[in-house]
Amino acid sequence: LGLRSAGQHRPCARTLVMAKFAPVACDVCGADTLEVYTNEMLAGKWHSACFHAACGSCLRKHIEGSLPRCKRHGQVRVQCYTPGCRKHLPQKLVFRFCRQAEDLAAAID
């Protein structure tokens, strides 16, 4: 299925199901890929996320680019990568794609 090498991240079951049918376009780079993650798929019971979708590479870049702002504000809260969207990425998604975000959250705590 073209998954990334071990240790970078673990795809969730819903992504694998999506990949069985057809490639999906990344909302950020536009690439058709079998590895696209929607923000809602890892939202918890109390988190209302949007349904925007991005490939793992774009997610990682966006999250890493948001870390300086998170550090200034004293919380790891990453806004959606889609311009104009006011939702935030679920923490599970942020931590899955960026070890630095997890480390920052531990340092803030």
Side-chain angles (χ1 to χ4, degrees), residues 21-85:
F21 298 108
V24 179
C26 170
D27 289 346
V28 179
C29 69
D32 286 333
T33 179
L34 297 177
E35 186 189 352
V36 168
Y37 301 84
T38 63
N39 296 338
E40 183 66 28
M41 76 173 45
L42 288 175
K45 184 177 181 180
W46 305 107
H47 184 133
S48 174
C50 59
F51 285 93
H52 294 121
C55 66
S57 177
C58 288
L59 273 171
R60 192 171 295 105
K61 287 176 190 172
H62 176 72
I63 294 166
E64 288 173 355
S66 299
L67 292 181
R69 181 184 166 281
C70 293
K71 188 173 183 176
R72 281 193 311 274
H73 289 259
Q75 63 179 353
V76 178
R77 192 164 185 215
V78 179
Q79 191 161 352
C80 177
Y81 38 81
T82 302
C85 183

Side-chain angles (χ1 to χ4, degrees), residues 70-71 74-76 95 99-109:
C70 293
K71 188 173 183 176
Q75 63 179 353
V76 178
F95 295 155
R99 176 65 186 205
Q100 296 138 329
E102 206 169 353
D103 293 343
L104 176 59
I108 292 170
D109 247 0

